[in-house]
Amino acid sequence: MTTSVFAQALGSDVERLHPQMRRRFGLTPDGENACVGRGVMDSVWRGPLVTVPFLWFGAWRNILVPRTGKGIPFTIENYCYVDGLGRDTTTFVRTFEFPRHRRSRFDATMVYDPASGRVLDYLGTHQHLAVDLDLEVDERGGLLLRSGAQRFYEGPVGFSFPMAASGTAELHEYYDDQTERFRIDLTVSNPVMGPIFGYRGSFTCDFSTIPAASVPASAKPLREEARG
């Protein structure tokens, strides 16, 4: 059986994860390969008004969420499959159900990059942005993910994306034994505008093993990028 994308990046530190976190981030194409979480975001927020055009531009390809609210129902779909380039790939598709039937999605697909020893996070529906992730296990057995260098790819064009025009993310996730729920807290910041977007909430998960052909096409990117 293969090792999950995250276990490869964490190495021996994966054993320090809470058992529920180890299960959630342990999906593999040839084992338990589906985890669908459902819960409520206590808060989905954005930064100052100047951030709004930036957020709406990102929302065009499901990279950022421009809407805000409290008590927002959401789902997070994690499926692990082998993509068209032969890579073990784990989806992170977050769908937020805002009032008046307004829906926002924040899509990512993650692979392990052997050259850097990191998880590589492709953002959006077309994997336009490739982002290096650094992982750390905290004292609760939770996982801290920090984004690093970013590259933009479109057709033959490829370049390092300037951080002044983008955002860096810090995500904390852990399992709360008292409530038996996963808790998540994300902040995306820009070096010029400061905090621009984030959310905080909790959810429960349903785990399963499904045939590879049953991984929903809606959870996969519309285009796969070979460059890391």
Side-chain angles (χ1 to χ4, degrees):
M1 183 176 291
T2 57
T3 304
S4 78
V5 168
F6 302 94
Q8 291 180 74
L10 284 169
S12 61
D13 274 355
V14 72
E15 299 300 326
R16 297 175 50 224
L17 285 174
H18 186 285
Q20 288 293 328
M21 289 290 292
R22 197 156 61 241
R23 186 181 186 187
R24 178 162 148 66
F25 287 89
L27 303 182
T28 61
D30 56 357
E32 193 168 58
N33 62 350
C35 171
V36 177
R38 297 176 177 85
V40 175
M41 287 299 178
D42 301 322
S43 174
V44 181
W45 56 269
R46 64 163 174 80
L49 195 61
V50 68
T51 65
V52 173
F54 180 83
L55 294 172
W56 276 106
F57 180 75
W60 176 49
R61 290 289 170 86
N62 290 356
I63 294 176
L64 292 169
V65 176
R67 297 184 173 97
T68 63
K70 295 184 182 299
I72 305 300
F74 79 100
T75 59
I76 178 165
E77 299 173 81
N78 299 114
Y79 297 100
C80 190
Y81 64 97
V82 178
D83 72 6
L85 299 168
R87 304 173 299 189
D88 288 3
T89 302
T90 302
T91 69
F92 278 76
V93 175
R94 290 141 287 198
T95 304
F96 303 85
E97 302 289 349
F98 289 94
R100 298 192 294 277
H101 306 290
R102 295 178 302 168
R103 175 178 291 175
S104 290
R105 274 182 49 153
F106 185 7
D107 293 5
T109 41
M110 302 189 189
V111 305
Y112 176 67
D113 178 25
S116 66
R118 290 189 174 101
V119 170
L120 185 59
D121 185 8
Y122 289 102
L123 298 179
T125 56
H126 290 67
Q127 296 193 341
H128 281 313
L129 278 178
V131 181
D132 294 335
L133 291 184
D134 289 316
L135 311 184
E136 180 181 332
V137 180
D138 67 21
E139 69 282 354
R140 299 171 295 196
L143 193 59
L144 170 61
L145 294 82
R146 292 189 181 93
S147 67
Q150 304 178 15
R151 278 95 42 206
F152 177 86
Y153 299 119
E154 172 59 42
V157 177
F159 57 87
S160 293
F161 204 81
M163 300 309 292
S166 184
T168 57
E170 184 166 302
L171 182 144
H172 295 257
E173 184 174 323
Y174 70 97
Y175 188 76
D176 185 338
D177 284 305
Q178 290 188 327
T179 62
E180 298 183 331
R181 297 176 70 85
F182 293 90
R183 297 196 176 275
I184 190 167
D185 191 342
L186 170 76
T187 298
V188 179
S189 300
N190 175 273
V192 177
M193 293 181 281
I196 59 174
F197 159 71
Y199 52 70
R200 182 183 66 257
S202 66
F203 58 98
T204 59
C205 285
D206 292 320
F207 295 90
S208 61
T209 301
I210 63 174
S214 297
V215 174
S218 61
K220 297 180 178 181
L222 300 178
R223 180 181 73 95
E224 293 174 345
E225 176 56 59
R227 291 165 290 185

